[in-house]
Amino acid sequence: MAHSEQGGAERTVVGVDGSPGAREALVWALRDAARRGTSLEVVSSFPVELRLSDPFVLDEAQLESVREDTLQRARAQVEEVRAETGQTGVPLDVLAVAGPPAQMLLAASEDAGRLVVGSRGRGAVRSLVLGSVALRSVTHARVPVVVVHAGADEGRDDGPPRVVVGLDGSEASGIALERAGREAELLGAELVAVAAYSVTGYWSDAYAVALPPPEQLAGEVRGVAEQQVAEARVPDGVPVRIECLEGPAGDVLVEAAQGARLLVVGGHGQGAVRGLLMGSVALHCVLAGRCPVMVVPGSGTSGRHVPA
């Protein structure tokens, strides 16, 4: 459901650096902002390390020249992508800021609705490297972060569009579930709630006694998932399907989300059922997922959990 969200707090922040990944992130962010009716803030950064280490290398005039060049490159890419996508009506600002890319994006998104980044960067300007921005963003951002891969396979299903969300019985995955429901409503998609469980053998045979039979474990996991879905505030009209799958949570989610419009995971989880763990699943999905991945911060952060 698109809202009238022209207020600054609901804007989308997207990082660009001239790399294929960042360009894909800009395409996704423009289309998403158009669906929501929000504004877009495009942020590109340039390094200041040389200036800080040797004041004779880069003076104020040169620094301003680098800023202007970065800004013009960013604006040119924005106009190119706007023309390509047809999203010429999205209100936006383009900023060029001095400093480390991840730090600058995190600061810009503090009061935003969401942050969008490419999975990997490769600066089009000399010494401009995005590098670990996606990793830093998903581990430190106070707002939901969408990581877009170059060549993402979103929406390539033959069937109806899907939004996939990972469940593990934790509060974090409950927050992710409600966010995924709103994203599915926005996209006109089915919501697929995936709960993974593992029956992998352990070094100690004592686990064979401690763990329930696979059938019982699967039943427990499905029961927790069904309870989470029943208690969640998922928008009316969004079809919800629950899948309970065996295997490591990260691998299961990446596989289940192939061709989906979006994969949503909680930033932190702590399975409420034996053998069901999220932990570093978000990072695995960010690294291995082929569709856009949204990482939703938990309630322990001061991030904004607002309707989308």
Side-chain angles (χ1 to χ4, degrees):
M1 176 174 60
H3 299 270
S4 177
E5 301 176 328
Q6 299 299 338
E10 283 311 309
R11 76 191 193 288
T12 294
V13 174
V14 58
V16 297
D17 74 341
S19 67
R23 190 182 192 282
E24 292 287 346
L26 177 58
V27 170
W28 192 94
L30 264 172
R31 289 173 172 160
D32 184 67
R35 284 191 293 265
R36 297 178 194 276
T38 61
S39 62
L40 189 65
E41 186 170 276
V42 182
V43 178
S44 187
S45 70
F46 55 94
V48 292
E49 287 82 358
L50 289 176
R51 179 173 181 267
L52 295 176
S53 62
D54 186 346
F56 297 103
V57 174
L58 197 64
D59 61 24
E60 292 294 334
Q62 290 172 316
L63 187 65
E64 184 55 35
S65 177
V66 172
R67 183 195 307 275
E68 184 60 27
D69 181 65
T70 303
L71 182 61
Q72 292 306 318
R73 288 172 182 262
R75 284 175 173 167
Q77 186 173 64
V78 166
E79 292 310 311
E80 175 186 309
V81 171
R82 290 183 90 168
E84 174 187 307
T85 60
Q87 305 298 345
T88 56
V90 174
L92 60 79
D93 291 315
V94 182
L95 304 177
V97 294
Q103 182 178 328
M104 297 299 99
L105 286 173
L106 290 171
S109 66
E110 280 280 346
D111 60 349
R114 64 209 57 81
L115 170 62
V116 182
V117 296
S119 60
R120 300 189 187 280
R122 187 197 63 200
V125 181
R126 186 174 53 185
S127 298
L128 181 58
V129 180
L130 195 60
S132 61
V133 168
L135 178 62
R136 179 80 184 276
S137 296
V138 298
T139 55
H140 289 79
R142 300 174 182 272
V143 299
V145 178
V146 178
V147 180
V148 182
H149 294 261
D153 63 356
E154 61 171 314
R156 295 184 182 177
D157 278 341
D158 293 331
R162 297 176 297 130
V163 169
V164 176
V165 60
L167 297 184
D168 73 346
S170 68
E171 180 186 9
S173 72
I175 293 171
L177 171 60
E178 294 190 354
R179 182 60 186 237
R182 299 195 295 270
E183 298 299 321
E185 181 184 39
L186 185 72
L187 292 164
E190 175 189 29
L191 179 59
V192 182
V194 176
Y197 67 96
S198 179
V199 293
T200 303
Y202 295 87
W203 192 6
S204 172
D205 291 336
Y207 279 101
V209 178
L211 290 175
E215 298 79 8
Q216 181 182 338
L217 183 57
E220 291 180 5
V221 171
R222 175 170 287 277
V224 169
E226 290 175 346
Q227 181 178 355
Q228 273 199 292
V229 169
E231 296 175 351
R233 293 172 296 179
V234 176
D236 294 336
V238 173
V240 182
R241 173 161 50 96
I242 298 174
E243 293 188 356
C244 182
L245 303 172
E246 193 278 328
D251 293 340
V252 165
L253 287 172
V254 168
E255 178 69 21
Q258 286 192 20
R261 297 295 299 274
L262 187 68
L263 169 59
V264 183
V265 291
H268 301 282
Q270 54 174 33
V273 178
R274 288 170 294 182
L276 183 60
L277 301 174
M278 284 289 281
S280 61
V281 169
L283 295 182
H284 178 85
C285 291
V286 166
L287 292 171
R290 295 308 308 156
C291 72
V293 179
M294 173 182 281
V295 180
V296 182
S299 59
T301 71
S302 58
R304 297 177 53 85
H305 300 293
V306 294

